[in-house]
Amino acid sequence: MTAISRALASDIDVRAEVRIDTMARKDRKWYLTDTFSRHYGPFDQVIVTAPPAQARDLFTNSGLMNLASALDGAVPAVQPCWAVAVHFESAPGAEFEGMRPHNGVLSWLANNSSKPGREDHGQWWVLHATSQWSAEHVETHADQVIDVMLDAFREITGFDSMPDETVPHRWLYARSDGDDHPGCLWFPAEGIGLAGDWLSGGRVEGAFDSASELVRTMNQ
Ligand SMILES: Cc1cc2nc3c(=O)[nH]c(=O)nc-3n(C[C@H](O)[C@H](O)[C@H](O)COP(=O)(O)OP(=O)(O)OC[C@H]3O[C@@H](n4cnc5c(N)ncnc54)[C@H](O)[C@@H]3O)c2cc1C
Protein backbone atom coordinates (compact mmCIF):
# COMPACT_ATOMS: atom_id res chain seq x y z
CA MET A 1 0.00 0.00 0.00
CA THR A 2 2.89 2.40 0.60
CA ALA A 3 4.67 1.79 -2.71
CA ILE A 4 2.87 4.60 -4.56
CA SER A 5 3.41 7.25 -1.89
CA ARG A 6 7.06 6.18 -1.42
CA ALA A 7 7.68 6.55 -5.16
CA LEU A 8 5.89 9.93 -5.30
CA ALA A 9 7.91 11.14 -2.29
CA SER A 10 11.28 9.82 -3.43
CA ASP A 11 12.71 13.28 -4.22
CA ILE A 12 11.10 15.33 -1.44
CA ASP A 13 12.17 15.82 2.18
CA VAL A 14 9.86 13.61 4.27
CA ARG A 15 10.29 13.28 8.06
CA ALA A 16 8.70 10.04 9.25
CA GLU A 17 7.83 9.15 12.87
CA VAL A 18 7.09 12.81 13.63
CA ARG A 19 3.84 13.79 15.32
CA ILE A 20 3.10 17.50 15.11
CA ASP A 21 1.64 18.66 18.39
CA THR A 22 1.10 22.39 17.85
CA MET A 23 1.37 25.02 15.17
CA ALA A 24 1.87 28.74 15.82
CA ARG A 25 1.79 31.71 13.48
CA LYS A 26 4.18 34.64 13.66
CA ASP A 27 4.60 37.34 10.99
CA ARG A 28 2.34 35.33 8.62
CA LYS A 29 4.63 32.29 8.88
CA TRP A 30 3.79 28.94 10.48
CA TYR A 31 6.08 27.25 13.01
CA LEU A 32 5.40 23.62 13.95
CA THR A 33 6.42 21.79 17.12
CA ASP A 34 6.40 18.02 17.49
CA THR A 35 5.74 15.88 20.57
CA PHE A 36 9.49 15.88 21.39
CA SER A 37 9.53 19.72 21.30
CA ARG A 38 11.49 19.78 18.06
CA HIS A 39 10.71 22.77 15.85
CA TYR A 40 10.03 23.03 12.12
CA GLY A 41 9.51 26.05 9.87
CA PRO A 42 8.95 28.78 9.00
CA PHE A 43 6.36 27.76 6.41
CA ASP A 44 4.07 29.98 4.29
CA GLN A 45 1.23 27.44 4.35
CA VAL A 46 0.44 24.13 6.04
CA ILE A 47 -1.40 21.14 4.58
CA VAL A 48 -2.82 18.71 7.14
CA THR A 49 -3.61 15.21 5.83
CA ALA A 50 -4.36 13.58 9.20
CA PRO A 51 -7.81 12.02 9.80
CA PRO A 52 -10.31 14.58 11.14
CA ALA A 53 -10.03 13.54 14.83
CA GLN A 54 -6.25 13.99 14.80
CA ALA A 55 -6.46 17.20 12.75
CA ARG A 56 -9.00 18.56 15.25
CA ASP A 57 -6.68 17.70 18.17
CA LEU A 58 -3.84 19.54 16.43
CA PHE A 59 -5.99 22.64 15.85
CA THR A 60 -7.35 22.54 19.42
CA ASN A 61 -3.81 22.27 20.87
CA SER A 62 -2.84 25.22 18.69
CA GLY A 63 -5.78 27.40 19.81
CA LEU A 64 -7.25 27.37 16.29
CA MET A 65 -10.77 26.83 17.55
CA ASN A 66 -12.61 27.91 14.38
CA LEU A 67 -10.70 25.29 12.38
CA ALA A 68 -11.22 22.66 15.09
CA SER A 69 -14.98 23.22 15.15
CA ALA A 70 -15.14 22.99 11.33
CA LEU A 71 -14.28 19.29 11.82
CA ASP A 72 -16.91 18.51 14.47
CA GLY A 73 -19.27 16.89 11.94
CA ALA A 74 -16.56 14.81 10.25
CA VAL A 75 -14.97 13.31 13.41
CA PRO A 76 -17.80 10.92 14.45
CA ALA A 77 -18.32 9.80 10.83
CA VAL A 78 -14.91 8.09 10.76
CA GLN A 79 -15.25 4.48 11.88
CA PRO A 80 -12.62 1.99 13.08
CA CYS A 81 -11.74 -1.27 11.33
CA TRP A 82 -10.22 -4.38 12.85
CA ALA A 83 -8.10 -6.10 10.18
CA VAL A 84 -6.39 -9.47 10.50
CA ALA A 85 -3.95 -11.03 8.05
CA VAL A 86 -3.84 -14.82 8.41
CA HIS A 87 -1.42 -17.27 6.82
CA PHE A 88 -2.37 -20.87 6.04
CA GLU A 89 0.29 -23.44 5.23
CA SER A 90 -2.19 -25.19 2.94
CA ALA A 91 -4.61 -23.14 0.83
CA PRO A 92 -8.18 -22.92 2.22
CA GLY A 93 -9.47 -23.85 -1.27
CA ALA A 94 -12.08 -21.09 -1.30
CA GLU A 95 -14.04 -20.70 -4.55
CA PHE A 96 -13.41 -16.95 -4.54
CA GLU A 97 -10.46 -14.56 -4.17
CA GLY A 98 -12.43 -11.75 -2.57
CA MET A 99 -15.82 -11.49 -0.86
CA ARG A 100 -18.01 -8.90 0.86
CA PRO A 101 -19.88 -11.25 3.21
CA HIS A 102 -21.70 -8.81 5.55
CA ASN A 103 -22.28 -11.61 8.03
CA GLY A 104 -22.30 -9.33 11.05
CA VAL A 105 -18.56 -9.65 11.73
CA LEU A 106 -16.71 -9.53 8.42
CA SER A 107 -17.13 -6.92 5.71
CA TRP A 108 -14.34 -8.12 3.40
CA LEU A 109 -12.09 -11.09 2.88
CA ALA A 110 -9.39 -11.34 0.25
CA ASN A 111 -6.81 -13.86 -0.82
CA ASN A 112 -3.75 -11.61 -0.75
CA SER A 113 -1.62 -14.34 -2.30
CA SER A 114 -3.73 -14.17 -5.48
CA LYS A 115 -2.53 -10.61 -6.19
CA PRO A 116 -0.10 -10.25 -9.13
CA GLY A 117 3.56 -10.76 -8.33
CA ARG A 118 3.02 -12.67 -5.06
CA GLU A 119 4.88 -15.91 -4.78
CA ASP A 120 3.78 -16.82 -1.27
CA HIS A 121 4.32 -20.22 0.18
CA GLY A 122 0.84 -21.20 1.41
CA GLN A 123 -1.81 -18.45 1.32
CA TRP A 124 -2.22 -15.09 3.06
CA TRP A 125 -5.81 -13.96 3.60
CA VAL A 126 -6.83 -10.48 4.77
CA LEU A 127 -10.00 -10.17 6.82
CA HIS A 128 -11.73 -6.85 7.62
CA ALA A 129 -14.43 -6.54 10.25
CA THR A 130 -17.50 -4.37 9.65
CA SER A 131 -17.44 -0.78 10.96
CA GLN A 132 -20.16 -1.60 13.49
CA TRP A 133 -18.48 -4.73 14.86
CA SER A 134 -15.11 -2.93 14.98
CA ALA A 135 -16.64 0.00 16.88
CA GLU A 136 -18.28 -2.37 19.39
CA HIS A 137 -14.92 -4.19 19.90
CA VAL A 138 -12.55 -1.30 19.68
CA GLU A 139 -11.13 -2.09 23.15
CA THR A 140 -11.32 -5.89 22.83
CA HIS A 141 -7.99 -7.72 23.14
CA ALA A 142 -6.47 -8.57 19.74
CA ASP A 143 -6.33 -12.33 20.54
CA GLN A 144 -10.08 -12.42 21.12
CA VAL A 145 -10.69 -10.40 17.95
CA ILE A 146 -8.62 -12.90 15.94
CA ASP A 147 -10.67 -15.81 17.36
CA VAL A 148 -14.03 -14.27 16.45
CA MET A 149 -12.91 -13.13 12.98
CA LEU A 150 -11.39 -16.54 12.23
CA ASP A 151 -14.61 -18.27 13.32
CA ALA A 152 -16.53 -16.05 10.90
CA PHE A 153 -14.02 -16.89 8.15
CA ARG A 154 -14.42 -20.63 8.85
CA GLU A 155 -18.20 -20.32 8.75
CA ILE A 156 -18.01 -18.77 5.26
CA THR A 157 -15.30 -20.97 3.74
CA GLY A 158 -15.86 -24.22 5.63
CA PHE A 159 -12.06 -24.36 6.09
CA ASP A 160 -11.21 -25.29 9.65
CA SER A 161 -7.39 -25.55 9.73
CA MET A 162 -5.53 -23.26 12.08
CA PRO A 163 -3.39 -20.52 10.51
CA ASP A 164 0.33 -20.64 11.39
CA GLU A 165 0.61 -16.83 11.53
CA THR A 166 -1.85 -14.05 12.36
CA VAL A 167 -1.22 -10.29 12.18
CA PRO A 168 -3.99 -8.18 13.74
CA HIS A 169 -4.23 -4.42 13.29
CA ARG A 170 -6.77 -2.04 14.79
CA TRP A 171 -7.30 0.97 12.51
CA LEU A 172 -8.94 3.60 14.67
CA TYR A 173 -9.65 5.98 11.81
CA ALA A 174 -10.34 3.65 8.91
CA ARG A 175 -13.49 4.56 7.00
CA SER A 176 -15.56 7.69 6.72
CA ASP A 177 -19.29 6.98 6.65
CA GLY A 178 -20.00 10.68 6.09
CA ASP A 179 -21.78 11.62 2.87
CA ASP A 180 -20.47 15.19 2.70
CA HIS A 181 -17.45 15.08 0.36
CA PRO A 182 -16.23 18.62 -0.32
CA GLY A 183 -12.98 17.29 -1.86
CA CYS A 184 -10.73 19.36 0.40
CA LEU A 185 -10.85 22.21 2.92
CA TRP A 186 -8.88 25.43 2.42
CA PHE A 187 -8.73 28.28 4.93
CA PRO A 188 -7.07 31.10 2.96
CA ALA A 189 -6.92 33.60 5.85
CA GLU A 190 -4.87 31.13 7.90
CA GLY A 191 -3.04 29.48 4.99
CA ILE A 192 -4.10 26.02 6.15
CA GLY A 193 -5.43 23.26 3.91
CA LEU A 194 -6.86 19.84 4.70
CA ALA A 195 -6.78 16.83 2.38
CA GLY A 196 -7.46 13.14 2.87
CA ASP A 197 -9.64 10.26 1.76
CA TRP A 198 -12.40 11.26 4.24
CA LEU A 199 -12.95 14.45 2.19
CA SER A 200 -13.33 12.65 -1.10
CA GLY A 201 -15.22 9.39 -0.72
CA GLY A 202 -12.58 7.19 0.95
CA ARG A 203 -9.91 4.84 -0.39
CA VAL A 204 -6.59 5.67 -1.96
CA GLU A 205 -8.16 7.30 -5.04
CA GLY A 206 -10.06 9.61 -2.67
CA ALA A 207 -6.83 10.65 -0.92
CA PHE A 208 -5.19 11.36 -4.29
CA ASP A 209 -8.19 13.29 -5.65
CA SER A 210 -8.47 15.30 -2.43
CA ALA A 211 -4.80 16.32 -2.54
CA SER A 212 -5.07 17.26 -6.24
CA GLU A 213 -8.20 19.31 -5.52
CA LEU A 214 -6.48 21.12 -2.63
CA VAL A 215 -3.44 22.03 -4.75
CA ARG A 216 -5.77 23.35 -7.50
CA THR A 217 -7.71 25.41 -4.94
CA MET A 218 -4.54 26.84 -3.34
CA ASN A 219 -3.19 27.88 -6.75
CA GLN A 220 -6.35 29.73 -7.84
C1 LIG B 1 -7.40 -2.16 6.83
C2 LIG B 1 -7.46 -1.21 5.66
C3 LIG B 1 -7.31 -1.69 4.36
C4 LIG B 1 -7.39 -0.83 3.27
N1 LIG B 1 -7.28 -1.34 2.00
C5 LIG B 1 -7.38 -0.52 0.94
C6 LIG B 1 -7.27 -1.01 -0.40
O1 LIG B 1 -7.06 -2.20 -0.62
N2 LIG B 1 -7.40 -0.12 -1.42
C7 LIG B 1 -7.62 1.22 -1.21
O2 LIG B 1 -7.73 2.00 -2.17
N3 LIG B 1 -7.71 1.71 0.05
C8 LIG B 1 -7.60 0.88 1.12
N4 LIG B 1 -7.71 1.38 2.38
C9 LIG B 1 -7.93 2.81 2.55
C10 LIG B 1 -6.63 3.60 2.42
O3 LIG B 1 -5.66 3.08 3.32
C11 LIG B 1 -6.93 5.05 2.76
O4 LIG B 1 -7.93 5.53 1.87
C12 LIG B 1 -5.69 5.95 2.61
O5 LIG B 1 -4.61 5.49 3.41
C13 LIG B 1 -6.04 7.37 3.05
O6 LIG B 1 -4.91 8.19 2.86
P1 LIG B 1 -4.80 9.55 3.64
O7 LIG B 1 -3.49 10.16 3.21
O8 LIG B 1 -6.05 10.34 3.46
O9 LIG B 1 -4.76 9.19 5.19
P2 LIG B 1 -3.84 8.20 6.01
O10 LIG B 1 -3.24 7.14 5.14
O11 LIG B 1 -4.67 7.80 7.19
O12 LIG B 1 -2.64 9.13 6.48
C14 LIG B 1 -2.80 10.08 7.52
C15 LIG B 1 -1.45 10.20 8.19
O13 LIG B 1 -1.46 11.31 9.09
C16 LIG B 1 -0.64 10.96 10.16
N5 LIG B 1 -0.90 11.87 11.28
C17 LIG B 1 -2.00 11.97 12.06
N6 LIG B 1 -1.87 12.94 12.97
C18 LIG B 1 -0.64 13.49 12.77
C19 LIG B 1 0.09 14.54 13.40
N7 LIG B 1 -0.42 15.22 14.43
N8 LIG B 1 1.35 14.82 12.94
C20 LIG B 1 1.87 14.13 11.89
N9 LIG B 1 1.23 13.13 11.24
C21 LIG B 1 -0.02 12.81 11.68
C22 LIG B 1 -1.03 9.53 10.45
O14 LIG B 1 -0.04 8.88 11.24
C23 LIG B 1 -1.10 8.96 9.04
O15 LIG B 1 0.15 8.45 8.61
C24 LIG B 1 -7.61 0.54 3.48
C25 LIG B 1 -7.74 1.03 4.78
C26 LIG B 1 -7.69 0.17 5.87
C27 LIG B 1 -7.86 0.71 7.26
Side-chain angles (χ1 to χ4, degrees), residues 41-97:
F43 301 110
D44 295 323
Q45 291 157 334
V46 174
I47 294 175
V48 180
T49 62
Q54 291 166 315
R56 188 174 65 174
D57 287 349
L58 173 61
F59 295 147
T60 304
N61 291 348
S62 311
L64 298 163
M65 304 321 284
N66 58 328
L67 273 68
S69 57
L71 304 182
D72 283 347
V75 170
V78 179
Q79 300 293 315
C81 174
W82 268 109
V84 182
V86 286
H87 181 261
F88 297 100
E89 185 65 31
S90 59
E95 289 169 353
F96 55 87
E97 308 292 11

Side-chain angles (χ1 to χ4, degrees), residues 1 15 17-22 34-35 48-51 53-55 57-58 61 79-84 108 112 115 126-128 169-175 195-199 201-208 210:
M1 291 295 289
R15 314 287 171 93
E17 306 291 321
V18 171
R19 189 185 188 90
I20 301 300
D21 191 37
T22 56
D34 72 16
T35 44
V48 180
T49 62
Q54 291 166 315
D57 287 349
L58 173 61
N61 291 348
Q79 300 293 315
C81 174
W82 268 109
V84 182
W108 172 242
N112 239 34
K115 292 179 181 173
V126 172
L127 322 180
H128 290 181
H169 191 89
R170 184 188 67 169
W171 297 79
L172 270 183
Y173 308 113
R175 302 184 181 113
D197 65 343
W198 59 279
L199 286 154
R203 305 184 73 76
V204 156
E205 308 87 289
F208 191 91
S210 174

